[in-house]
Amino acid sequence: MSAATDWYHGTHQRFADWRFPPPRSPVKPELRPHAGVLLTTDMPLAKGAGRNVCVSRLRPDAKVLDLRLAGEASEAMRQRLYATDLGRHCVRTHDAAVWWAGWNTGEAMRFAPDQSTFSARFVQLVPDAQRAMSGSRQPQHRAAWLELQNLTREWIELVAVAGRDMGFDALIRNEIDSLRKGGAVACEVLFALIDKAIEAPRWLGAGKGR
């Protein structure tokens, strides 16, 4: 990945510089905050995250792991995550081929539960969470959606912490934009883990959050 690549970040707030970890979202304060800063080369995905969009670039000396590429470092992360209480219940960590495929399709950004008793509770929450996504305001549907969202956040946090502990400044992988008109698409995403990974934000103007 070239240091000249532009990476976009959508947000509802403007700021002079990045904060690590980022502050909790004022729009969805009930969600667990991310451990790092998420950026993408896909402008529609960035605009969907917030009405303000800025651009940044990787610093030339940033140590970056592209999880989409088969290699020793990515395999070491898979094994590290499999050794954790949460990670061993995600089917992505069980097999190297499934792991790499998931980061390319973008599916690996979502926690994929295994067949264990631990995972059974989360599987049971899916129907109610889908009702919430379809517009239901019933408390139990909203609670199911929130729990699954925070499970995904916890999974992403686990990946981020592993990357940082392995000495990386940023991770690259794909993420599915399921809200795209015309159908879901895989978008390239950069997960900056520390402040020295990326340059200061440059604001491009206002966009419409969805």
Side-chain angles (χ1 to χ4, degrees):
M1 178 56 60
S2 170
T5 300
D6 286 334
W7 294 92
Y8 304 104
H9 176 79
T11 176
H12 292 285
Q13 296 178 311
R14 285 177 176 253
F15 40 82
D17 211 345
W18 308 106
R19 288 173 57 186
F20 289 82
R24 190 177 294 273
S25 169
V27 178
K28 297 178 180 178
E30 70 275 21
L31 291 180
R32 177 175 182 159
H34 285 299
V37 174
L38 293 166
L39 306 96
T40 178
T41 54
D42 189 271
M43 181 62 82
L45 181 64
K47 288 182 176 180
R51 61 182 176 272
N52 300 305
V53 177
C54 61
V55 62
S56 182
R57 290 181 176 180
L58 279 166
R59 296 188 185 277
D61 59 346
K63 187 177 180 182
V64 182
L65 172 61
D66 191 333
L67 290 168
R68 301 168 300 180
L69 304 179
E72 292 182 3
S74 183
E75 172 61 9
M77 178 180 282
R78 181 186 71 82
Q79 295 181 16
R80 181 183 287 252
L81 294 180
Y82 183 76
T84 66
D85 289 339
L86 178 63
R88 65 188 174 90
H89 291 293
C90 178
V91 297
R92 313 261 180 229
T93 67
H94 295 187
D95 181 85
V98 174
W99 168 261
W100 289 314
W103 292 117
N104 279 275
T105 63
E107 292 286 354
M109 278 292 291
R110 301 170 179 173
F111 183 82
D114 60 10
Q115 300 298 316
S116 66
T117 302
F118 171 88
S119 297
R121 165 174 167 71
F122 300 113
V123 174
Q124 291 172 355
L125 292 173
V126 171
D128 280 349
Q130 291 176 335
R131 293 183 181 98
M133 294 175 65
S134 297
S136 172
R137 296 185 178 182
Q138 291 294 322
Q140 69 270 24
H141 298 163
R142 175 68 179 177
W145 174 85
L146 180 59
E147 186 165 351
L148 290 182
Q149 285 292 306
N150 279 323
L151 172 65
T152 295
R153 294 285 182 112
E154 186 177 356
W155 164 246
I156 295 172
E157 166 84 357
L158 197 65
V159 174
V161 170
R164 196 162 51 228
D165 289 348
M166 292 171 65
F168 291 100
D169 304 324
L171 306 172
I172 293 177
R173 69 285 192 288
N174 288 340
E175 177 177 340
I176 294 177
D177 181 2
S178 59
L179 300 178
R180 189 68 59 92
K181 292 181 179 178
V185 296
C187 303
E188 189 175 42
V189 171
L190 172 73
F191 199 173
L193 306 177
I194 59 175
D195 55 0
K196 77 171 188 177
I198 50 178
E199 298 175 350
R202 292 178 285 115
W203 294 99
L204 302 180
K208 295 181 180 179
R210 60 188 172 200

